[in-house]
Amino acid sequence: MKHIEKEMVLLKNSVNDMWKLVISQLEKAKYAFLHKDIGCALEIVAKEKRVDAFELKIDSDGENYIALYSPVAIDLRLVLSLIKISNTLERIGDFAVSVARHVIEEDCNKVSETLIEDLRIEEMIETLIGMLSDAFVCLETENTTFVGKILSKDEEVNQIYRQAPEILTRHMSSHPEDIRCGLSLLLLIRKLERIGDHCSNIIEEIVFYVDAKVLKHGGKVKIDDKITP
């Protein structure tokens, strides 16, 4: 294997390791939220620096690769995509920490489980974990034929988010003691909705790398998995 190829493999491995860590952070965030586990939440916060360190390393390694080897075509697209994906993964990691801090602050420890079920937060986080995991497979296999199904999950997340204000308003009107918690939950759900947007951004970068197609600002993916420019 040539040195240039080894450098690319190392860069991809760093992104893969960061990706797995962020998925783990989301999974732990779901557990901490559902079980009000402060210990688990503190572990998420403690690992935030590892996520940040990955991003800095990938940024530096990617920039060095471009400076040293002047890649073109698909190699250049891959490096640029990996840098942008690492930036996006770092933002998703930040949102996982936001869930952890929500648990640590204990604003909603006494809220009814029925409200949490009505808000469908567990389903929301599960969908996000699925999106991020499927996107990982998409990059590993360089297969973009199923990106439409991944992007469609973002709309499922958006629907849950759009229903939340009405559910919370109805609950707080009869339980004014939960207003503080209700506002905190609304902010939390908004941050989860943003994770869905970031997952979609990752998919856009993968399509850019693999198919040299830009989905932003007018480019679309049909749900039947056919990509259109």
Side-chain angles (χ1 to χ4, degrees):
M1 184 182 292
K2 297 179 181 179
H3 184 68
I4 185 173
E5 294 173 344
K6 289 181 180 179
E7 291 296 317
M8 179 63 80
V9 169
L10 290 174
L11 183 60
K12 290 179 71 175
N13 286 343
S14 293
V15 173
N16 288 347
D17 291 341
M18 181 184 187
W19 209 316
K20 292 173 184 176
L21 175 58
V22 172
I23 291 175
S24 174
Q25 290 282 83
L26 268 182
E27 290 173 339
K28 289 177 181 177
K30 183 189 76 169
Y31 181 88
F33 177 81
L34 294 176
H35 296 87
K36 301 180 177 63
D37 190 325
I38 294 178
C40 183
L42 290 171
E43 182 182 347
I44 295 167
V45 174
K47 288 185 177 179
E48 180 183 16
K49 291 183 179 179
R50 286 183 58 193
V51 176
D52 295 342
F54 267 121
E55 183 195 22
L56 293 174
K57 182 179 187 304
I58 292 164
D59 275 354
S60 177
D61 290 350
E63 291 167 1
N64 289 339
Y65 186 93
I66 293 172
L68 290 171
Y69 303 114
S70 300
V72 296
I74 192 169
D75 290 335
L76 178 59
R77 295 202 307 272
L78 176 56
V79 176
L80 293 175
S81 294
L82 290 177
I83 291 173
K84 290 183 179 179
I85 287 171
S86 75
N87 298 156
T88 305
L89 288 172
E90 190 275 334
R91 292 295 299 126
I92 294 174
D94 285 346
F95 287 128
V97 170
S98 295
V99 177
R101 294 194 186 283
H102 173 90
V103 175
I104 294 169
E105 291 168 4
E106 300 182 291
D107 283 343
C108 295
N109 273 5
K110 297 180 180 180
V111 73
S112 70
E113 293 297 326
T114 301
L115 175 61
I116 302 301
E117 292 174 3
D118 289 344
L119 291 170
R120 299 163 63 192
I121 295 177
E122 180 177 6
E123 178 185 345
M124 197 177 195
I125 302 176
E126 280 287 353
T127 302
L128 295 170
I129 293 171
M131 288 182 72
L132 198 55
S133 299
D134 290 345
F136 178 85
V137 173
C138 190
L139 180 60
E140 279 288 279
T141 60
E142 298 183 351
N143 182 357
T144 61
T145 59
F146 58 98
V147 298
K149 291 181 179 178
I150 300 175
L151 292 176
S152 69
K153 292 182 180 180
D154 187 32
E155 180 55 31
E156 295 176 17
V157 172
N158 292 340
Q159 287 179 358
I160 295 174
Y161 168 67
R162 286 193 290 266
Q163 293 169 358
E166 182 180 348
I167 294 171
L168 286 168
T169 299
R170 189 166 58 245
H171 176 84
M172 289 186 291
S173 64
S174 56
H175 297 83
E177 70 277 9
D178 287 340
I179 289 178
R180 179 183 176 87
C181 171
L183 295 174
S184 179
L185 284 171
L186 185 59
L187 289 174
L188 179 68
I189 292 170
R190 170 57 178 161
K191 290 175 180 178
L192 292 175
E193 187 271 338
R194 290 293 294 128
I195 293 178
D197 294 339
H198 285 306
C199 289
S200 294
N201 292 341
I202 289 175
I203 288 296
E204 290 173 355
E205 292 302 329
I206 295 172
V207 171
F208 169 70
Y209 154 56
V210 176
D211 299 320
K213 293 184 178 181
V214 178
L215 300 185
K216 295 180 180 179
H217 308 307
K220 296 181 179 179
V221 175
K222 296 181 180 179
I223 302 306
D224 63 3
D225 298 336
K226 295 178 181 178
I227 301 176
T228 59

